[in-house]
Amino acid sequence: EAGVAQSPRYKIIEKRQSVAFWCNPISGHATLYWYQQILGQGPKLLIQFQNNGVVDDSQLPKDRFSAERLKGVDSTLKIQPAKLEDSAVYLCASSLGGGFFEQYFGPGTRLTVT
Amino acid sequence: SQQGEEDPQALSIQEGENATMNCSYKTSINNLQWYRQNSGRGLVHLILIRSNEREKHSGRLRVTLDTSKKSSSLLITASRAADTASYFCATAESGNTGKLIFGQGTTLQVKP
């Protein structure tokens, strides 16, 4: 079974530039998550999708971050414009349904904003 | 917001010893999960314990849950150098979407 795929693995941009991350979840997983993990901290949920609908985006900085899930499968997370404090690892995960099941994580995208 | 608080923040032991990590949380939960993260990689699910369970085993892992004290512990027996990683507890709150809230993690170093 293929795992969660993410790209790119690394990205370096200057502040005020824009960046996009892509995620392909495990086939058949209805729930998809985007997390932000700052060095030395646990992952923080940014947005949770159930199929192609948003379930929770309470911690997504909506003035600069946006996300969509196309046809209930792949997802993209965009930051525009980026700030220095956005430097982090962005993790995508998927599960069969909500937090009542284990989540499978991708390898993450390490973003450095200079 | 971070719900889980993990203790200790860092732990260093010799190969063959047991490692115990603790997690405390604040609200009612549906389940509690433990994840491992090797340096520079994504998280790997280890074990899920539901709120009506008190203890669960998986190989060398033993997890306990005390809902009255809102705490959980992860025990790794006969540790190996390959167990060196960060360990996170995550809680799925009751009565909502089941979103997971992760703790800050415990960094475990197992010396050969």
Side-chain angles (χ1 to χ4, degrees):
Chain A
E1 176 181 84
V4 176
Q6 287 188 249
S7 68
R9 290 295 312 277
Y10 305 92
K11 190 74 177 178
I12 300 174
I13 61 172
E14 295 182 351
K15 60 183 178 184
R16 291 187 289 274
Q17 287 187 326
S18 63
V19 65
F21 312 126
W22 173 82
C23 173
N24 179 244
I26 292 174
S27 177
H29 280 191
T31 310
L32 184 146
Y33 315 79
W34 283 103
Y35 290 90
Q36 180 192 59
Q37 186 176 25
I38 292 172
L39 187 64
Q41 298 183 16
K44 181 182 83 170
L45 180 69
L46 292 175
I47 190 166
Q48 177 179 340
F49 291 95
Q50 181 75 18
N51 296 310
N52 59 357
V54 175
V55 174
D56 188 310
D57 63 356
S58 58
Q59 297 192 92
L60 186 74
K62 299 180 185 65
D63 58 333
R64 299 184 300 106
F65 286 64
S66 64
E68 61 178 0
R69 188 175 185 193
L70 306 172
K71 299 180 181 178
V73 182
D74 292 5
S75 178
T76 55
L77 175 70
K78 297 179 182 177
I79 307 175
Q80 182 179 6
K83 293 184 176 181
L84 296 177
E85 59 260 36
D86 298 331
S87 293
V89 175
Y90 291 84
L91 295 163
C92 179
S94 68
S95 74
L96 286 171
F100 310 110
F101 298 90
E102 63 188 275
Q103 294 186 18
Y104 295 81
F105 283 78
T109 297
R110 183 175 298 276
L111 174 67
T112 302
V113 182
T114 63
Chain B
S1 61
Q2 302 282 350
Q3 156 147 261
E5 291 187 6
E6 296 179 62
D7 172 58
Q9 288 190 333
L11 182 60
S12 181
I13 60 174
Q14 294 294 134
E15 211 166 22
E17 294 180 338
N18 295 341
T20 300
M21 289 160 259
N22 302 296
C23 170
S24 61
Y25 57 91
K26 298 172 186 172
T27 63
S28 295
I29 61 171
N30 175 279
N31 68 74
L32 185 145
Q33 304 181 29
W34 286 90
Y35 288 80
R36 182 186 74 229
Q37 186 176 37
N38 291 88
S39 180
R41 297 194 174 187
L43 282 77
V44 174
H45 182 267
L46 295 177
I47 200 162
L48 182 155
I49 185 165
R50 303 195 188 281
S51 60
N52 61 353
E53 298 176 307
R54 292 297 168 258
E55 189 171 311
K56 207 161 182 180
H57 297 255
S58 177
R60 294 183 295 112
L61 305 180
R62 173 179 169 247
V63 168
T64 61
L65 179 64
D66 186 335
T67 53
S68 67
K69 294 181 180 178
K70 290 186 168 57
S71 67
S72 174
S73 67
L74 170 67
L75 169 67
I76 304 173
T77 59
S79 63
R80 306 166 181 167
D83 294 329
T84 295
S86 293
Y87 292 81
F88 295 91
C89 69
T91 51
E93 296 181 350
S94 299
N96 71 355
T97 61
K99 113 181 165 182
L100 286 186
I101 300 178
F102 283 81
Q104 300 277 36
T106 293
T107 300
L108 172 65
Q109 181 185 29
V110 181
K111 300 175 185 175

